[in-house]
Amino acid sequence: MAKVRVHNFHISLDGYSAGETITLDAPIGGAERLFGYFDGRFIHGVDAVDAPITLDRALTSTWGQGIGAEIMGRGKFGPQTGEWTDDDWRGWWGDEPPFRTPVVVLTHHRRDPVSFDNGTSFHFLDATPEEALARALELADGRDVRIGGGPSTVRQFLAADLVDFMHLVTVPVTLGAGVSMWDGLAGVQDRFTIESATSASGLTHHFWNRTRAGQA
């Protein structure tokens, strides 16, 4: 059965996963320090990891394994708000987005799909988490669905009890302000078993697996 997964989701010591305002020059809204420990590459399997294979890189390589579609919020796709314009924006990633699968982009404004030669396609949808997941599962063709972020999107899917597995990475920095994943989610950890491992880099990887008792 297909699972809903969150991978490589970076969070500060004070609980923030993004800055407050996304701009063209600050795609993470001023929270770029969260990714100073990460080389920024999307690795689709441990066989694609360059030597040396560290704990961090081995764990982040699971990002693409078994994934058939992603769901992301509009802010992860671009800095625009409101109605889409005709500026030909096709995402932050240029002509080769790393996803290589269909991606559902949550937005209140209609836009035609955008496709790339490497298998990535963006589908724009105004939907509840349940509706978005149903569409993503159709597109995933039996494989798993990744909730790609940002934090508000992950929070919505956690609140709806739709996440089966979550890989959080605590980065040893404090941001002081930003967007938290945890607002309104008191007690969410009770639906999961949680294991943690700290690497030599100072990152702590947390693995949340939803228990049967927590499933709706």
Side-chain angles (χ1 to χ4, degrees):
M1 181 176 177
K3 294 185 179 297
V4 180
R5 295 157 43 187
V6 177
H7 276 278
N8 304 350
F9 207 80
H10 287 56
I11 189 167
S12 68
L13 289 172
D14 48 351
Y16 298 110
S17 297
E20 295 175 314
T21 303
I22 296 170
T23 67
L24 189 61
D25 295 327
I28 314 170
E32 285 73 20
R33 285 189 298 156
L34 284 178
F35 296 88
Y37 291 71
F38 184 58
D39 65 12
R41 285 179 290 176
F42 294 86
I43 301 170
H44 287 265
V46 71
D47 57 328
V49 179
D50 299 336
I53 301 177
T54 63
L55 176 62
D56 291 328
R57 302 194 74 199
L59 293 175
T60 57
S61 72
T62 61
W63 176 85
Q65 293 179 321
I67 295 295
E70 172 162 323
I71 299 171
M72 68 170 62
R74 180 169 175 174
K76 182 173 177 179
F77 180 76
Q80 304 88 348
T81 59
E83 295 286 347
W84 295 98
T85 65
D86 58 357
D87 64 358
D88 294 326
W89 177 265
R90 290 159 61 85
W92 299 103
W93 307 277
D95 292 331
E96 294 189 7
F99 308 100
R100 306 180 192 174
T101 68
V103 178
V104 172
V105 180
L106 298 176
T107 172
H108 295 302
H109 301 278
R110 185 185 178 281
R111 181 176 178 177
D112 292 334
V114 178
S115 298
F116 295 82
D117 292 340
N118 70 352
T120 302
S121 58
F122 294 103
H123 305 259
F124 303 90
L125 191 65
D126 183 6
T128 66
E130 291 84 358
E131 292 166 343
L133 178 57
R135 177 60 176 143
L137 287 168
E138 291 177 358
L139 294 168
D141 195 24
R143 291 179 291 170
D144 290 353
V145 172
R146 181 178 55 237
I147 310 301
S152 297
T153 299
V154 175
R155 186 170 65 238
Q156 291 175 36
F157 280 81
L158 284 170
D161 198 18
L162 297 176
V163 175
D164 297 304
F165 170 81
M166 184 163 61
H167 170 207
L168 295 181
V169 184
T170 299
V171 182
V173 300
T174 56
L175 297 179
V179 181
S180 172
M181 259 182 32
W182 305 123
D183 289 346
L185 291 178
V188 65
Q189 73 282 348
D190 295 339
R191 302 202 304 259
F192 296 82
T193 60
I194 303 171
E195 298 181 14
S196 300
T198 300
S199 71
S201 70
L203 300 178
T204 301
H205 299 264
H206 309 274
F207 308 96
W208 295 47
N209 284 279
R210 188 167 65 164
T211 63
R212 284 287 178 182
Q215 294 184 2

